[in-house]
Amino acid sequence: EKAVIEFGFPPEPALKVIQDEKPVKPDIPAISPYVAEMRYFIDVVQGRKKNDVCTAESTRDTIALIRMELKSNQKKKRIELK
């Protein structure tokens, strides 16, 4: 809250966070998010971790919601969520 994120160009830093009018150095993990995601996926597939990020139930609910959005758009009517 009460912060601004700016994306800069050289010689400025690529990412600058200003909170309460003072620059703050964001905590950015050393590992790339892509590598972390792939490691997590492999750990889940190999049974070393439980999939708690994108569960089957969450995926099912998301697909159902998207289908309702498409139906609403096609009929040009609101659809009540139950």
Side-chain angles (χ1 to χ4, degrees):
E1 279 188 38
K2 299 181 181 179
V4 175
I5 297 176
E6 296 179 352
F7 295 97
F9 298 96
E12 293 289 319
L15 176 65
K16 187 184 335 180
V17 178
I18 301 169
Q19 187 172 19
D20 296 324
E21 299 182 18
K22 296 178 185 171
V24 178
K25 185 175 181 189
D27 182 27
I28 300 174
I31 187 170
S32 85
Y34 178 77
V35 171
E37 183 178 351
M38 290 296 102
R39 283 185 183 166
Y40 175 79
F41 176 76
I42 291 167
D43 286 343
V44 169
V45 169
Q46 292 181 343
R48 291 191 297 260
K49 284 190 177 180
K50 182 180 179 215
N51 179 9
D52 55 4
V53 173
C54 187
T55 64
E57 294 82 10
S58 170
T59 302
R60 176 202 61 211
D61 294 346
T62 299
I63 292 170
L65 181 60
I66 291 169
R67 286 181 175 163
M68 291 176 74
E69 289 173 349
L70 291 171
K71 184 176 179 181
S72 172
N73 188 42
Q74 289 169 348
K75 292 186 173 198
K76 307 287 188 232
K77 291 185 178 181
R78 289 184 184 200
I79 294 178
E80 290 290 323
L81 300 177
K82 297 176 185 175

